[in-house]
């Protein structure tokens, strides 16, 4: 494999496979711990993943609790298997191995086996290593907020983007909106490209957030697409930057989001917006997309 890279900063790099064999994209993030133990994973974590199970594409998200000694005693999750959503899945427990010296271990949960890689105590990348399923995602710690979230924990302005599938083909969407801390989503707009049908429109609706960081949102429509209305929402530590996990000074807070509709499903990240954003200077730029020939990935350094 030949990987192209675009350096964001000294601890965060965008990567894309850049050869004639395959296409893929992702990130490289500096590991902040010098030693890894089973106790490195402890407390509540939110997660999301996108992949396929026996050829059926799925989106998956929820909350897991790690006890620091190899057990996942509780979890609550949502899944959407090719337009068949399942919510409030609470029967799954699991186990996890101690990480090796490089921060790699395995998680067994809900009949799936994941290999995990620790970036830091609250950021863990994982990939499905089963012979019948494939997919990848991230676990983000909930920090001291675990067990004490509420509607008021979700407030302010957010930007959100992500991608997934519809019965007609891939979907990609991005937008921004405001949340009032009392269960209402207002003053938003979004753009959606659903299998090459492009819409732009408002974002409005309601949400609810449980104390464990497991919540949901119901929208009248997202960006003018009436098929995108139901989301699972999973809170993370407000001190984490979801897109650049070693950045502890800006872009902090947000939630993982999974689309749980019958005609659309996928994974998203909702991140907090700056109060006075500026758009100037040097930027690293990475895109993973689908076109008529298959997947398209590219990187760029822009000014």
């Amino acid at each position: 494999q030949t990987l192209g890279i675009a350096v964001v900063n000294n601890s965060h790099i965008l990567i894309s496979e850049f050869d004639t064999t395959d296409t893929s994209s992702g990130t490289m993030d500096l590991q902040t711990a010098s030693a890894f133990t089973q106790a490195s994973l402890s407390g509540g974590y939110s997660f999301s993943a996108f992949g396929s199970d026996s050829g059926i594409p799925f989106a998956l998200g929820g909350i897991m609790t790690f006890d620091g000694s190899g057990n996942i005693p509780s979890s609550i999750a949502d899944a959407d298997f090719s337009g068949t959503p399942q919510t409030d899945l609470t029967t799954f427990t699991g186990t996890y191995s101690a990480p090796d010296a490089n921060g790699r271990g395995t998680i067994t949960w809900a009949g799936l086996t994941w290999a995990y890689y620790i970036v830091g105590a609250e950021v863990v990348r994982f990939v499905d290593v089963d012979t019948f399923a494939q997919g990848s995602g991230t676990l983000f710690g909930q920090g001291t907020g675990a067990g004490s979230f509420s509607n008021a924990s979700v407030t302010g302005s957010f930007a959100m983007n992500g991608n997934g599938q519809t019965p007609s083909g891939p979907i990609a969407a991005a937008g921004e909106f405001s949340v009032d801390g009392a269960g209402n989503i207002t003053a938003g707009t979004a753009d959606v490209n659903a299998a090459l049908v492009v819409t732009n429109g408002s974002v409005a609706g309601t949400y609810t957030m449980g104390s464990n960081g497991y919540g949901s949102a119901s929208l009248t429509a997202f960006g003018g697409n009436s098929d995108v209305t139901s989301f699972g929402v999973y809170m993370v530590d407000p001190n984490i930057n979801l897109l650049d996990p070693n950045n502890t000074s800006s872009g902090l807070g947000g939630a993982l989001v999974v689309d749980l509709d019958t005609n659309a499903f996928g994974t998203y990240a909702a991140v907090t917006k700056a109060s006075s954003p500026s758009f100037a200077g040097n930027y690293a730029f990475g895109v993973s997309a689908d076109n008529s020939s298959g997947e398209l990935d590219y990187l760029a350094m822009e000014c």
Side-chain angles (χ1 to χ4, degrees):
Q1 292 181 338
T2 301
L3 300 179
I5 67 171
V7 177
V8 179
N9 54 51
N10 289 340
S11 59
H12 183 58
I13 298 172
L14 306 181
I15 62 174
S16 177
E17 186 169 352
F18 195 68
D19 53 45
T20 59
T21 304
D22 272 312
T23 57
S24 62
S25 62
T27 67
M28 295 176 65
D29 295 287
L30 181 69
Q31 289 180 303
T32 55
S34 57
F36 304 99
T37 67
Q38 208 159 44
S40 298
L41 297 182
S42 181
Y45 287 77
S46 297
F47 69 94
S48 66
F50 190 82
S52 65
D53 186 339
S54 301
I56 300 173
F58 69 83
L60 175 68
I63 310 295
M64 285 185 184
T65 301
F66 292 77
D67 71 355
S69 59
N71 299 299
I72 303 171
S74 64
S75 66
I76 183 169
D78 302 313
D80 194 324
F81 288 87
S82 193
T84 303
Q86 303 175 39
T87 61
D88 299 314
L89 302 172
T90 60
T91 59
F92 299 121
T93 59
T95 60
Y96 64 100
S97 70
D100 63 19
N102 296 312
R104 180 195 183 277
T106 57
I107 295 171
T108 301
W109 173 84
L112 301 171
T113 301
W114 297 341
Y116 73 81
Y117 303 85
I118 297 176
V119 177
E122 290 195 293
V123 181
V124 182
R125 310 295 191 192
F126 64 85
V127 59
D128 193 302
V129 292
D130 293 295
T131 58
F132 58 87
Q134 61 188 42
S136 61
T138 301
L139 289 144
F140 289 100
Q142 295 182 318
T144 57
S148 59
F149 292 106
S150 67
N151 281 2
S153 302
V154 193
T155 184
S157 297
F158 294 83
M160 188 172 86
N161 78 320
N163 53 59
Q165 288 286 326
T166 73
S168 301
I171 183 173
E176 54 82 26
F177 51 88
S178 297
V179 182
D180 67 358
N184 301 297
I185 301 169
T186 61
T189 185
D191 293 276
V192 180
N193 188 331
L196 304 183
V197 176
V198 179
T199 60
N200 168 265
S202 63
V203 178
T206 60
Y207 72 93
T208 182
M209 179 54 59
S211 61
N212 60 352
Y214 173 85
S216 62
S218 178
L219 306 180
T220 54
F222 187 76
N225 188 313
S226 59
D227 289 329
V228 183
T229 60
S230 300
F231 291 107
V233 182
Y234 321 107
M235 295 298 294
V236 303
D237 187 336
N239 297 308
I240 290 178
N241 182 315
L242 289 176
L243 305 182
D244 182 3
N246 286 308
N247 180 350
T248 59
S249 61
S250 62
L252 307 182
L256 301 178
V257 180
V258 172
D259 188 350
L260 299 170
D261 287 290
T262 56
N263 289 317
F265 56 98
T267 56
Y268 295 78
V271 298
T272 56
K273 290 174 56 181
S275 57
S276 300
S278 62
F279 197 57
N282 296 324
Y283 288 81
F285 182 58
V287 170
S288 179
D290 291 276
N291 60 22
S292 58
S293 300
E295 184 175 330
L296 169 69
D297 297 276
Y298 60 88
L299 295 175
M301 299 296 293
E302 297 286 344
C303 296

